[in-house]
Amino acid sequence: MAKVLDNIGLSFDDVLLVPRNSSIASRREIDTKTKFTQRVSINIPIVSAAMDTVTESTMAITLAREGGIGVIHRFMPPEKQVEEVARVKRADNVIIEKPTTISPHATVREAREIMKNLGISGLIVVDSENRVLGILTRRDILFEDDSTIVANCMTSRKDMITASPNISLEEAKRIFKQYKIEKLPLIDEDGKLRGLITCIDLLKREAYPNASRDLKGRLLVAAAIGVKENEIKRAELLIEADVDVLVIDVAHGHTSMCIDTIKKLRKIYGDSVEIVAGNVATGEGVEDLAAAGANSVKVGVGPGSVCTTRVVAGVGVPQLSAILDCAEAADKMGVPIIADGGIRESGDIVKALAAGASSVMIGRLLAGTDESPGTTVVKNGKRYKIYRGMASIYAMLGRDFRHREDSVETLIDSSEYSYYAEGVEAYVPYTGSASEILKRLVAGLRSGMSYLGAKSIDELKKNAVFIKVTQSGIRESLPHDVEVI
Ligand code: XMP
C-alpha cells in the first residue's frame, strides 16, 4: 500500500528566515568559506552546474577565481573534457612545472612558430639532458632573421637570473621587482630545468586573493562523470589531469549503479580521490551514497529551472524540504551536501545554506553570462543565450546544438528521445560577466548572514529559524502597490 507522508514539502518561497540578534558591524567580518567535499574547501559556497550550456573551462576559471568551483560537464569526449580541466589548471598556474623548451640548434623561425602556436613570449633553451643553456624571449629575436640559430641570439645562462625550485612566491616577487625581469626559470643543483615562474602569473594570482586553489596554487576544478562501465576510464584520465574532485552526475543518484561507481573508484584510488555523488532528495539517499564512500552528496530532484522531471515522472521533493531532510543525514554521516537547482536569487542561497547545505549548484543564473559556452542570440532586438536541460531533447540527441536551428526539428520528430525528455531548452537573458553575478549573489548572502548574526556558514545553520509563509506573505515580500521603474 502506498504511504502518504504527513509533512508538507516546502520550497524556497514557502519560508522566510527570522532575523536574529546580530553583533555584526560590517559585512566584511563575515566568512563565506565552506566545504565542497570533506577535504576540499572553497571560499564562496557557489558551484556552477555540470551542464553543456553552463560549465566548460572559461566558466570554471571564473568560478574558481571568485572563490567557488566549476564542474566541467561530461557531455563531450573524455579527451576534450581532460583538455578543459587542464586549461583551468594552467590558468593561474604560478609555477609552470614543464616550461616549453627549445634546442640551441633550432632556428629563430622554429622559435617564432612555437611562441605563436602556444601564445607564449619566451622559451628556455636546454641541451638534450634538460640542462639550461639560456633563455630566448620575443625581444631577443625581434630583429633576427628566420634562419638565425637560437644559440646565437639567446641570453646565455651566465647572464640569466634564475632561482632554486624551492623558492617561495614572496622571494620570487622580490626578484622580479629587483631585476625587472618577466620570467624566472627554476634550476636544480645539476643545472637542470625544474620549472618557471612568470611575472604575469604572479600578478594574476594577486588579482584574485579569494580564489579557490590547490596546494600548488592552481585553481580548483571538478569534473563530471556518469555511471556506465566506460566512465571509469574517463575518471582515470581526469585524475591524471589533476582534477580536484570527481562528480558522479546522474539524475537519479540513489541507485545501485551510482553506488557501484563510487565503490569501484574507492577500490582503485582509495582515499586519494574526492568524490561527489548525486542527485538524491532523501536522507536515505545521502546515507547510502556516503556509506559507499562519497565525500559529498548533491541534493535536488526536479527543482531546476529547465527540469520537467516532476511533470514527466511525477517524482521529486520540494527543494527546501529535501535539503532539510538530507542535511540531517549528512550531519550523521559527516559529509557536506550541495543544494542543486532552483536558485533564483541570493535569498534562495541563504535559505539553502541555512537549511543545511554547504554549497549551492547554479545553472540558470550563470547560463546567460559571457563565460557560459554557446552562442548569444538576438530575438526581437534583445540578447539571449540558450540554456538547456541535460535531459532535454537537443541535449540527449548529443549534438552540438547550442542554439536552436530549424533544420533540426525534423530530426526530433523521428527520434524517440522526445518520449524520454525530462528537460527543456530555453532562452535566458544575456547578463554579461559571471563574476559580476557572483559578486551580487555573495553580497546578498553576506546580507542574509548579517541579519542572522552569523559570521560563518556554520553559524548561519545554527542560528536559522524558518517561518512558513502564505501566498499573502509572498506577495508582501515582493515590491507591491508601486510601479517599479
Ligand atoms: P537551475 O535552477 O540553477 O538548475 O537552472 C540547474 C540544475 O538542474 C538540473 N538539471 C536537470 N534536471 N532535467 C532535470 O530534471 C534536465 O534536463 C536537467 N538538466 C539539468 C541539474 O541538477 C542542474 O545542476
mmCIF file with all atom_site columns, all heavy atoms in Angstrom, residues 57-75:
data_model
loop_
_atom_site.group_PDB
_atom_site.id
_atom_site.type_symbol
_atom_site.label_atom_id
_atom_site.label_alt_id
_atom_site.label_comp_id
_atom_site.label_asym_id
_atom_site.label_entity_id
_atom_site.label_seq_id
_atom_site.pdbx_PDB_ins_code
_atom_site.Cartn_x
_atom_site.Cartn_y
_atom_site.Cartn_z
_atom_site.occupancy
_atom_site.B_iso_or_equiv
_atom_site.pdbx_formal_charge
_atom_site.auth_seq_id
_atom_site.auth_comp_id
_atom_site.auth_asym_id
_atom_site.auth_atom_id
_atom_site.pdbx_PDB_model_num
ATOM 1   N N   . SER A 1 57 ? 35.784 25.254 -19.432 1.00 0.00 ? 57 SER A N   1
ATOM 2   C CA  . SER A 1 57 ? 36.911 25.852 -18.693 1.00 0.00 ? 57 SER A CA  1
ATOM 3   C C   . SER A 1 57 ? 36.732 27.344 -18.396 1.00 0.00 ? 57 SER A C   1
ATOM 4   O O   . SER A 1 57 ? 37.091 27.806 -17.309 1.00 0.00 ? 57 SER A O   1
ATOM 5   C CB  . SER A 1 57 ? 38.207 25.625 -19.453 1.00 0.00 ? 57 SER A CB  1
ATOM 6   O OG  . SER A 1 57 ? 38.086 26.047 -20.779 1.00 0.00 ? 57 SER A OG  1
ATOM 7   N N   . THR A 1 58 ? 36.143 28.103 -19.328 1.00 0.00 ? 58 THR A N   1
ATOM 8   C CA  . THR A 1 58 ? 36.052 29.556 -19.101 1.00 0.00 ? 58 THR A CA  1
ATOM 9   C C   . THR A 1 58 ? 35.215 29.853 -17.857 1.00 0.00 ? 58 THR A C   1
ATOM 10  O O   . THR A 1 58 ? 35.587 30.679 -17.019 1.00 0.00 ? 58 THR A O   1
ATOM 11  C CB  . THR A 1 58 ? 35.422 30.242 -20.343 1.00 0.00 ? 58 THR A CB  1
ATOM 12  O OG1 . THR A 1 58 ? 36.082 29.744 -21.480 1.00 0.00 ? 58 THR A OG1 1
ATOM 13  C CG2 . THR A 1 58 ? 35.546 31.737 -20.289 1.00 0.00 ? 58 THR A CG2 1
ATOM 14  N N   . MET A 1 59 ? 34.078 29.165 -17.733 1.00 0.00 ? 59 MET A N   1
ATOM 15  C CA  . MET A 1 59 ? 33.232 29.364 -16.547 1.00 0.00 ? 59 MET A CA  1
ATOM 16  C C   . MET A 1 59 ? 33.964 28.855 -15.298 1.00 0.00 ? 59 MET A C   1
ATOM 17  O O   . MET A 1 59 ? 33.951 29.516 -14.240 1.00 0.00 ? 59 MET A O   1
ATOM 18  C CB  . MET A 1 59 ? 31.910 28.611 -16.711 1.00 0.00 ? 59 MET A CB  1
ATOM 19  C CG  . MET A 1 59 ? 30.945 28.774 -15.559 1.00 0.00 ? 59 MET A CG  1
ATOM 20  S SD  . MET A 1 59 ? 30.351 30.460 -15.381 1.00 0.00 ? 59 MET A SD  1
ATOM 21  C CE  . MET A 1 59 ? 29.092 30.506 -16.652 1.00 0.00 ? 59 MET A CE  1
ATOM 22  N N   . ALA A 1 60 ? 34.616 27.699 -15.409 1.00 0.00 ? 60 ALA A N   1
ATOM 23  C CA  . ALA A 1 60 ? 35.277 27.114 -14.230 1.00 0.00 ? 60 ALA A CA  1
ATOM 24  C C   . ALA A 1 60 ? 36.404 28.029 -13.736 1.00 0.00 ? 60 ALA A C   1
ATOM 25  O O   . ALA A 1 60 ? 36.624 28.157 -12.525 1.00 0.00 ? 60 ALA A O   1
ATOM 26  C CB  . ALA A 1 60 ? 35.806 25.728 -14.565 1.00 0.00 ? 60 ALA A CB  1
ATOM 27  N N   . ILE A 1 61 ? 37.100 28.676 -14.672 1.00 0.00 ? 61 ILE A N   1
ATOM 28  C CA  . ILE A 1 61 ? 38.185 29.594 -14.264 1.00 0.00 ? 61 ILE A CA  1
ATOM 29  C C   . ILE A 1 61 ? 37.593 30.771 -13.485 1.00 0.00 ? 61 ILE A C   1
ATOM 30  O O   . ILE A 1 61 ? 38.068 31.145 -12.411 1.00 0.00 ? 61 ILE A O   1
ATOM 31  C CB  . ILE A 1 61 ? 38.971 30.073 -15.514 1.00 0.00 ? 61 ILE A CB  1
ATOM 32  C CG1 . ILE A 1 61 ? 39.804 28.912 -16.077 1.00 0.00 ? 61 ILE A CG1 1
ATOM 33  C CG2 . ILE A 1 61 ? 39.863 31.272 -15.181 1.00 0.00 ? 61 ILE A CG2 1
ATOM 34  C CD1 . ILE A 1 61 ? 40.412 29.163 -17.450 1.00 0.00 ? 61 ILE A CD1 1
ATOM 35  N N   . THR A 1 62 ? 36.509 31.336 -14.006 1.00 0.00 ? 62 THR A N   1
ATOM 36  C CA  . THR A 1 62 ? 35.878 32.478 -13.314 1.00 0.00 ? 62 THR A CA  1
ATOM 37  C C   . THR A 1 62 ? 35.371 32.066 -11.933 1.00 0.00 ? 62 THR A C   1
ATOM 38  O O   . THR A 1 62 ? 35.578 32.778 -10.947 1.00 0.00 ? 62 THR A O   1
ATOM 39  C CB  . THR A 1 62 ? 34.716 33.039 -14.167 1.00 0.00 ? 62 THR A CB  1
ATOM 40  O OG1 . THR A 1 62 ? 35.264 33.453 -15.412 1.00 0.00 ? 62 THR A OG1 1
ATOM 41  C CG2 . THR A 1 62 ? 34.038 34.211 -13.496 1.00 0.00 ? 62 THR A CG2 1
ATOM 42  N N   . LEU A 1 63 ? 34.706 30.914 -11.878 1.00 0.00 ? 63 LEU A N   1
ATOM 43  C CA  . LEU A 1 63 ? 34.180 30.442 -10.587 1.00 0.00 ? 63 LEU A CA  1
ATOM 44  C C   . LEU A 1 63 ? 35.307 30.312 -9.564  1.00 0.00 ? 63 LEU A C   1
ATOM 45  O O   . LEU A 1 63 ? 35.203 30.796 -8.437  1.00 0.00 ? 63 LEU A O   1
ATOM 46  C CB  . LEU A 1 63 ? 33.492 29.082 -10.780 1.00 0.00 ? 63 LEU A CB  1
ATOM 47  C CG  . LEU A 1 63 ? 31.969 29.037 -10.749 1.00 0.00 ? 63 LEU A CG  1
ATOM 48  C CD1 . LEU A 1 63 ? 31.420 29.330 -9.366  1.00 0.00 ? 63 LEU A CD1 1
ATOM 49  C CD2 . LEU A 1 63 ? 31.351 30.006 -11.738 1.00 0.00 ? 63 LEU A CD2 1
ATOM 50  N N   . ALA A 1 64 ? 36.404 29.644 -9.972  1.00 0.00 ? 64 ALA A N   1
ATOM 51  C CA  . ALA A 1 64 ? 37.495 29.403 -9.021  1.00 0.00 ? 64 ALA A CA  1
ATOM 52  C C   . ALA A 1 64 ? 38.178 30.716 -8.642  1.00 0.00 ? 64 ALA A C   1
ATOM 53  O O   . ALA A 1 64 ? 38.541 30.911 -7.484  1.00 0.00 ? 64 ALA A O   1
ATOM 54  C CB  . ALA A 1 64 ? 38.491 28.416 -9.614  1.00 0.00 ? 64 ALA A CB  1
ATOM 55  N N   . ARG A 1 65 ? 38.339 31.641 -9.605  1.00 0.00 ? 65 ARG A N   1
ATOM 56  C CA  . ARG A 1 65 ? 38.972 32.921 -9.262  1.00 0.00 ? 65 ARG A CA  1
ATOM 57  C C   . ARG A 1 65 ? 38.142 33.692 -8.251  1.00 0.00 ? 65 ARG A C   1
ATOM 58  O O   . ARG A 1 65 ? 38.664 34.401 -7.400  1.00 0.00 ? 65 ARG A O   1
ATOM 59  C CB  . ARG A 1 65 ? 39.152 33.770 -10.525 1.00 0.00 ? 65 ARG A CB  1
ATOM 60  C CG  . ARG A 1 65 ? 40.346 33.322 -11.351 1.00 0.00 ? 65 ARG A CG  1
ATOM 61  C CD  . ARG A 1 65 ? 40.467 34.167 -12.588 1.00 0.00 ? 65 ARG A CD  1
ATOM 62  N NE  . ARG A 1 65 ? 41.653 33.814 -13.346 1.00 0.00 ? 65 ARG A NE  1
ATOM 63  C CZ  . ARG A 1 65 ? 41.851 34.142 -14.620 1.00 0.00 ? 65 ARG A CZ  1
ATOM 64  N NH1 . ARG A 1 65 ? 40.940 34.827 -15.274 1.00 0.00 ? 65 ARG A NH1 1
ATOM 65  N NH2 . ARG A 1 65 ? 42.958 33.796 -15.231 1.00 0.00 ? 65 ARG A NH2 1
ATOM 66  N N   . GLU A 1 66 ? 36.816 33.565 -8.334  1.00 0.00 ? 66 GLU A N   1
ATOM 67  C CA  . GLU A 1 66 ? 35.942 34.286 -7.391  1.00 0.00 ? 66 GLU A CA  1
ATOM 68  C C   . GLU A 1 66 ? 35.811 33.544 -6.065  1.00 0.00 ? 66 GLU A C   1
ATOM 69  O O   . GLU A 1 66 ? 35.194 34.032 -5.135  1.00 0.00 ? 66 GLU A O   1
ATOM 70  C CB  . GLU A 1 66 ? 34.551 34.483 -8.004  1.00 0.00 ? 66 GLU A CB  1
ATOM 71  C CG  . GLU A 1 66 ? 34.527 35.437 -9.193  1.00 0.00 ? 66 GLU A CG  1
ATOM 72  C CD  . GLU A 1 66 ? 34.949 36.855 -8.842  1.00 0.00 ? 66 GLU A CD  1
ATOM 73  O OE1 . GLU A 1 66 ? 34.702 37.291 -7.704  1.00 0.00 ? 66 GLU A OE1 1
ATOM 74  O OE2 . GLU A 1 66 ? 35.546 37.520 -9.714  1.00 0.00 ? 66 GLU A OE2 1
ATOM 75  N N   . GLY A 1 67 ? 36.327 32.304 -5.991  1.00 0.00 ? 67 GLY A N   1
ATOM 76  C CA  . GLY A 1 67 ? 36.296 31.581 -4.715  1.00 0.00 ? 67 GLY A CA  1
ATOM 77  C C   . GLY A 1 67 ? 35.415 30.348 -4.707  1.00 0.00 ? 67 GLY A C   1
ATOM 78  O O   . GLY A 1 67 ? 35.353 29.637 -3.710  1.00 0.00 ? 67 GLY A O   1
ATOM 79  N N   . GLY A 1 68 ? 34.698 30.096 -5.794  1.00 0.00 ? 68 GLY A N   1
ATOM 80  C CA  . GLY A 1 68 ? 33.841 28.904 -5.864  1.00 0.00 ? 68 GLY A CA  1
ATOM 81  C C   . GLY A 1 68 ? 34.525 27.790 -6.634  1.00 0.00 ? 68 GLY A C   1
ATOM 82  O O   . GLY A 1 68 ? 35.753 27.687 -6.648  1.00 0.00 ? 68 GLY A O   1
ATOM 83  N N   . ILE A 1 69 ? 33.728 26.957 -7.283  1.00 0.00 ? 69 ILE A N   1
ATOM 84  C CA  . ILE A 1 69 ? 34.316 25.895 -8.115  1.00 0.00 ? 69 ILE A CA  1
ATOM 85  C C   . ILE A 1 69 ? 33.333 25.561 -9.251  1.00 0.00 ? 69 ILE A C   1
ATOM 86  O O   . ILE A 1 69 ? 32.109 25.616 -9.054  1.00 0.00 ? 69 ILE A O   1
ATOM 87  C CB  . ILE A 1 69 ? 34.674 24.637 -7.277  1.00 0.00 ? 69 ILE A CB  1
ATOM 88  C CG1 . ILE A 1 69 ? 35.523 23.646 -8.092  1.00 0.00 ? 69 ILE A CG1 1
ATOM 89  C CG2 . ILE A 1 69 ? 33.436 23.942 -6.731  1.00 0.00 ? 69 ILE A CG2 1
ATOM 90  C CD1 . ILE A 1 69 ? 36.171 22.542 -7.239  1.00 0.00 ? 69 ILE A CD1 1
ATOM 91  N N   . GLY A 1 70 ? 33.877 25.229 -10.409 1.00 0.00 ? 70 GLY A N   1
ATOM 92  C CA  . GLY A 1 70 ? 33.044 24.833 -11.548 1.00 0.00 ? 70 GLY A CA  1
ATOM 93  C C   . GLY A 1 70 ? 33.161 23.333 -11.776 1.00 0.00 ? 70 GLY A C   1
ATOM 94  O O   . GLY A 1 70 ? 34.215 22.749 -11.533 1.00 0.00 ? 70 GLY A O   1
ATOM 95  N N   . VAL A 1 71 ? 32.063 22.741 -12.234 1.00 0.00 ? 71 VAL A N   1
ATOM 96  C CA  . VAL A 1 71 ? 32.096 21.307 -12.566 1.00 0.00 ? 71 VAL A CA  1
ATOM 97  C C   . VAL A 1 71 ? 32.005 21.191 -14.090 1.00 0.00 ? 71 VAL A C   1
ATOM 98  O O   . VAL A 1 71 ? 30.949 21.468 -14.679 1.00 0.00 ? 71 VAL A O   1
ATOM 99  C CB  . VAL A 1 71 ? 30.929 20.539 -11.904 1.00 0.00 ? 71 VAL A CB  1
ATOM 100 C CG1 . VAL A 1 71 ? 31.088 19.036 -12.180 1.00 0.00 ? 71 VAL A CG1 1
ATOM 101 C CG2 . VAL A 1 71 ? 30.876 20.807 -10.408 1.00 0.00 ? 71 VAL A CG2 1
ATOM 102 N N   . ILE A 1 72 ? 33.109 20.788 -14.729 1.00 0.00 ? 72 ILE A N   1
ATOM 103 C CA  . ILE A 1 72 ? 33.126 20.650 -16.191 1.00 0.00 ? 72 ILE A CA  1
ATOM 104 C C   . ILE A 1 72 ? 32.181 19.506 -16.575 1.00 0.00 ? 72 ILE A C   1
ATOM 105 O O   . ILE A 1 72 ? 32.309 18.398 -16.044 1.00 0.00 ? 72 ILE A O   1
ATOM 106 C CB  . ILE A 1 72 ? 34.550 20.305 -16.695 1.00 0.00 ? 72 ILE A CB  1
ATOM 107 C CG1 . ILE A 1 72 ? 35.590 21.292 -16.146 1.00 0.00 ? 72 ILE A CG1 1
ATOM 108 C CG2 . ILE A 1 72 ? 34.578 20.184 -18.220 1.00 0.00 ? 72 ILE A CG2 1
ATOM 109 C CD1 . ILE A 1 72 ? 35.739 22.578 -16.844 1.00 0.00 ? 72 ILE A CD1 1
ATOM 110 N N   . HIS A 1 73 ? 31.240 19.786 -17.482 1.00 0.00 ? 73 HIS A N   1
ATOM 111 C CA  . HIS A 1 73 ? 30.233 18.785 -17.823 1.00 0.00 ? 73 HIS A CA  1
ATOM 112 C C   . HIS A 1 73 ? 30.860 17.587 -18.548 1.00 0.00 ? 73 HIS A C   1
ATOM 113 O O   . HIS A 1 73 ? 31.999 17.652 -19.021 1.00 0.00 ? 73 HIS A O   1
ATOM 114 C CB  . HIS A 1 73 ? 29.112 19.420 -18.649 1.00 0.00 ? 73 HIS A CB  1
ATOM 115 C CG  . HIS A 1 73 ? 29.513 19.780 -20.047 1.00 0.00 ? 73 HIS A CG  1
ATOM 116 N ND1 . HIS A 1 73 ? 29.466 18.881 -21.072 1.00 0.00 ? 73 HIS A ND1 1
ATOM 117 C CD2 . HIS A 1 73 ? 29.987 20.931 -20.580 1.00 0.00 ? 73 HIS A CD2 1
ATOM 118 C CE1 . HIS A 1 73 ? 29.865 19.467 -22.187 1.00 0.00 ? 73 HIS A CE1 1
ATOM 119 N NE2 . HIS A 1 73 ? 30.199 20.714 -21.917 1.00 0.00 ? 73 HIS A NE2 1
ATOM 120 N N   . ARG A 1 74 ? 30.084 16.495 -18.646 1.00 0.00 ? 74 ARG A N   1
ATOM 121 C CA  . ARG A 1 74 ? 30.631 15.252 -19.193 1.00 0.00 ? 74 ARG A CA  1
ATOM 122 C C   . ARG A 1 74 ? 30.088 14.936 -20.583 1.00 0.00 ? 74 ARG A C   1
ATOM 123 O O   . ARG A 1 74 ? 30.297 13.847 -21.090 1.00 0.00 ? 74 ARG A O   1
ATOM 124 C CB  . ARG A 1 74 ? 30.310 14.098 -18.235 1.00 0.00 ? 74 ARG A CB  1
ATOM 125 C CG  . ARG A 1 74 ? 28.825 13.805 -18.076 1.00 0.00 ? 74 ARG A CG  1
ATOM 126 C CD  . ARG A 1 74 ? 28.598 12.713 -17.059 1.00 0.00 ? 74 ARG A CD  1
ATOM 127 N NE  . ARG A 1 74 ? 27.219 12.588 -16.675 1.00 0.00 ? 74 ARG A NE  1
ATOM 128 C CZ  . ARG A 1 74 ? 26.326 11.821 -17.295 1.00 0.00 ? 74 ARG A CZ  1
ATOM 129 N NH1 . ARG A 1 74 ? 26.668 11.130 -18.357 1.00 0.00 ? 74 ARG A NH1 1
ATOM 130 N NH2 . ARG A 1 74 ? 25.087 11.758 -16.863 1.00 0.00 ? 74 ARG A NH2 1
ATOM 131 N N   . PHE A 1 75 ? 29.379 15.880 -21.182 1.00 0.00 ? 75 PHE A N   1
ATOM 132 C CA  . PHE A 1 75 ? 28.748 15.594 -22.466 1.00 0.00 ? 75 PHE A CA  1
ATOM 133 C C   . PHE A 1 75 ? 29.681 15.937 -23.619 1.00 0.00 ? 75 PHE A C   1
ATOM 134 O O   . PHE A 1 75 ? 29.343 16.687 -24.532 1.00 0.00 ? 75 PHE A O   1
ATOM 135 C CB  . PHE A 1 75 ? 27.397 16.319 -22.548 1.00 0.00 ? 75 PHE A CB  1
ATOM 136 C CG  . PHE A 1 75 ? 26.534 15.934 -21.387 1.00 0.00 ? 75 PHE A CG  1
ATOM 137 C CD1 . PHE A 1 75 ? 26.509 16.702 -20.228 1.00 0.00 ? 75 PHE A CD1 1
ATOM 138 C CD2 . PHE A 1 75 ? 25.804 14.753 -21.414 1.00 0.00 ? 75 PHE A CD2 1
ATOM 139 C CE1 . PHE A 1 75 ? 25.757 16.319 -19.131 1.00 0.00 ? 75 PHE A CE1 1
ATOM 140 C CE2 . PHE A 1 75 ? 25.048 14.361 -20.319 1.00 0.00 ? 75 PHE A CE2 1
ATOM 141 C CZ  . PHE A 1 75 ? 25.027 15.134 -19.181 1.00 0.00 ? 75 PHE A CZ  1
#
